[in-house]
Amino acid sequence: MSLDRRRLIGSGLAVLAAGPDRAGAGTPPRREPPVSRPVGTLDLAIAADAPSTPTGLAIARGGRIFVMMPRFTGAEPVTLGEVMPDGAVKPYPDAPTNRPDPKAAQSTLFHVPNGVFDRNDTLWVLDAGLPEGKGTPVPGGAKLAAIDIAQNRILRTIPLDAGVVPTSSLNDLRVDVRDGRARAYITDQGQAGTGAILAVDLDSGQVVRRLDGHPSTKSEEGLVKFVERRPVMERKGDAPPKSPKGGANGIALSPDGTRLYYAPLMSRRLYAVETAALRDPNASGDAVAAAVRDLGEKGMTGGLTTDSQDRIYLSLQEHNAVGRRLPDGTIEVLAADDRLVWADTFWITPDRWLYISAAQVNRRPEFNRGTDLQQPPYAILRMRIDADPVI
């Protein structure tokens, strides 16, 4: 609908609402109702024919696209894949690495929810070490794996055992490699909604668990998430439906690396914490908690990312939309698309394309009384933005 037609319809509705005494000649001039800023659209970058739910997305400088498919049940054949130009997804770096083996926990992949590239184009993959999406992480299975995509091989792994607990479910990752420092930050959303943040020194391998059970990393009670106009509820047999739990989930770094933005999966609030507090092994829990800032409401989101102007992109899952929070706290909706089902992971490329994955998590069997409503291929959408990536 054209903007002029929107104004005409809006004016007509205002006249009808005013009644006959207010609509005739000789009445004071009427003020037109405000017109919302038009919401943009998204382009389909590629349809990924993934064998299971692709929550994670990472794009190399040369354009190679990688997706991460967590093992929610253990039946998923692949957890890390590369998207081919025709949309096919092949195991990456190879099929044997995608076969989880507790006896080779550091060299095989169990449950990969996300991965990112650093500024050297090394692919860092987060493995939660959960072969069936739940239970205690396999010893040695929770790890970071650095992959050389030119040689298609794992260069090194960093165990995360020191930072996980029996109910951990590691979810998202940011890597900060610059100016002689190499750090990583990881969210743990928890299997029961009690989350935490891990700070990792990539040089020494030291792992520190922070904000464990803090209100900013916990799943909020009493919330219901709506996706595709339906509540997302766990439905098992004859048991009453219940809202899923999800602690610390999406994260993003400020351009200078001094702040980490994050949010629980089941929460409408956005938080920030100073990264120096997260990394300091001598800082008390109270000191780290004091460095947390509540940035207010931002809608129901999954993944987050930032651009070079310190604007935070929001995967507005309830609206099939992309939002953006400005440094002054203003939130704007940039684009909406019915294909963006369960908006999940963002990626910004050097040529200023913002990519986002449509993971279709709400269509999984656990939310539909055992029926799998996912419809491959899975859309990876994109739109132009006016800023550079942070890395």
Side-chain angles (χ1 to χ4, degrees), residues 176-190:
D176 187 13
V177 178
R178 59 175 138 177
D179 305 328
R181 67 183 188 236
R183 301 156 179 163
Y185 305 96
I186 298 166
T187 48
D188 183 350
Q189 69 176 9

Side-chain angles (χ1 to χ4, degrees), residues 163-193:
V164 300
V165 296
T167 57
S168 282
S169 180
L170 304 182
N171 181 266
D172 209 347
L173 165 72
R174 288 294 177 268
V175 170
D176 187 13
V177 178
R178 59 175 138 177
D179 305 328
R181 67 183 188 236
R183 301 156 179 163
Y185 305 96
I186 298 166
T187 48
D188 183 350
Q189 69 176 9
Q191 296 176 43

Side-chain angles (χ1 to χ4, degrees), residues 74-279:
E76 296 81 359
V78 180
T79 190
L80 175 62
E82 181 175 3
V83 185
M84 299 290 98
D86 64 355
V89 175
K90 72 172 186 178
Y92 189 81
D94 50 42
T97 304
N98 274 268
R99 296 189 194 110
D101 182 357
K103 296 180 181 179
Q106 285 285 292
S107 57
T108 59
L109 299 174
F110 292 83
H111 172 104
V112 176
N114 247 306
V116 297
F117 281 96
D118 65 22
R119 58 183 54 195
N120 299 318
D121 224 25
T122 296
L123 176 60
W124 290 88
V125 170
L126 173 64
D127 188 348
L130 300 171
E132 297 179 356
K134 59 184 181 298
T136 303
V138 172
K143 58 187 174 290
L144 290 175
I147 301 178
D148 182 335
I149 65 168
Q151 301 181 53
N152 297 318
R153 68 181 184 91
I154 296 177
L155 299 176
R156 61 183 290 227
T157 57
I158 299 175
L160 299 175
D161 298 63
V164 300
V165 296
T167 57
S168 282
S169 180
L170 304 182
N171 181 266
D172 209 347
L173 165 72
R174 288 294 177 268
V175 170
D176 187 13
V177 178
R178 59 175 138 177
D179 305 328
R181 67 183 188 236
R183 301 156 179 163
Y185 305 96
I186 298 166
T187 48
D188 183 350
Q189 69 176 9
Q191 296 176 43
T194 299
I197 295 175
L198 278 59
V200 185
D201 184 319
L202 296 178
D203 293 323
S204 68
Q206 182 185 49
V207 182
V208 183
R209 184 178 178 85
R210 292 302 195 183
L211 299 173
D212 188 356
H214 187 269
S216 68
T217 63
K218 291 178 68 175
S219 180
E220 283 190 40
E221 297 294 328
L223 292 184
V224 178
K225 176 179 289 191
F226 291 83
V227 181
E228 293 190 289
R229 296 171 290 280
R230 292 183 60 220
V232 179
M233 306 291 282
E234 294 178 351
R235 304 173 188 272
K236 297 180 180 179
D238 296 330
K242 64 178 182 178
S243 192
K245 295 182 180 296
N249 188 278
I251 52 173
L253 273 173
S254 64
D256 61 6
T258 62
R259 286 182 309 285
L260 186 75
Y261 303 108
Y262 64 99
L265 179 66
M266 293 303 293
S267 172
R268 297 183 181 277
R269 305 199 73 78
L270 178 69
Y271 299 93
V273 64
E274 301 302 310
T275 54
L278 293 175
R279 296 191 311 269

Side-chain angles (χ1 to χ4, degrees), residues 42 313-316 320-324 332-336 340 343 346 354 356 383:
L42 294 164
Y313 292 82
L314 310 166
S315 54
L316 299 176
N320 302 78
V322 174
R324 183 167 63 187
E332 54 190 5
V333 178
L334 300 181
L340 190 57
F346 290 107
L354 175 75
I356 184 167
M383 65 178 294

Side-chain angles (χ1 to χ4, degrees), residues 47 53 61 66 71 99 186 298 343 350 371 383-384:
T53 314
R61 285 202 183 93
F66 299 84
R71 284 193 167 97
R99 296 189 194 110
I186 298 166
K298 46 78 182 154
T371 300
M383 65 178 294
R384 283 287 189 187

